[in-house]
Amino acid sequence: MVTPTPPVVPNPPVVTPPPYVPSPPVVTPPIVPTPPTPCPPPPPTIVPTPPAQPTCPIDALKLGACVDVLGGLIHIGIGGSAKQTCCPLLQGLVDLDAAICLCTTIKLKLLNINIILPIALQVLVDDCGKYPPKGFQCPSS
């Protein structure tokens, strides 16, 4: 009898694992606290500028003759000479500007504004057709 020979079984190949390479360490960045956000600078202080004093748009010295006539009217009463002297000079002005021009001229001539101004305003209204705002007062400067 013949004994059968056992089949040849090849040996499995020898596999060697790759060499062990450790992975690099995981480095976490340090935790750096963020500095507090600075407060924004305060807004600049706005100092309001006072409103500009109204000024006479014409040369107040030209009104000198008008104011002289108005000053004379204290003694003689309102007459046609005020209309002839003042109104042509104030013709192109709005009502408020005309009143301011008279105030300026009265002050330049160093006349008593409390006495002359009511007469000047009356001439403006009656003779020249100019109407200053109700309660108008000369600007103080």
Side-chain angles (χ1 to χ4, degrees):
M1 170 149 145
V2 179
T3 50
T5 57
V8 177
V9 179
N11 289 332
V14 176
V15 177
T16 59
Y20 174 75
V21 177
S23 57
V26 176
V27 178
T28 54
I31 297 175
V32 177
T34 57
T37 305
C39 295
T45 303
I46 298 173
V47 177
T49 56
Q53 288 290 339
T55 58
C56 180
I58 62 173
D59 183 0
L61 294 177
K62 291 179 182 178
L63 288 174
C66 171
V67 171
D68 289 340
V69 169
L70 294 174
L73 292 178
I74 294 173
H75 304 292
I76 61 172
I78 296 178
S81 62
K83 182 175 185 175
Q84 293 169 353
T85 307
C86 298
C87 296
L89 295 170
L90 301 171
Q91 188 172 359
L93 302 177
V94 295
D95 300 343
L96 178 62
D97 285 345
I100 290 171
C101 286
L102 285 176
C103 290
T104 303
T105 307
I106 292 168
K107 287 179 184 179
L108 286 175
K109 291 191 142 289
L110 301 175
L111 297 174
N112 186 338
I113 202 161
N114 295 325
I115 295 172
I116 306 272
L117 185 63
I119 294 171
L121 294 178
Q122 193 64 45
V123 168
L124 278 179
V125 172
D126 292 345
D127 296 340
C128 301
K130 303 287 182 182
Y131 296 90
K134 187 174 182 177
F136 172 79
Q137 293 182 348
C138 286
S140 58
S141 57

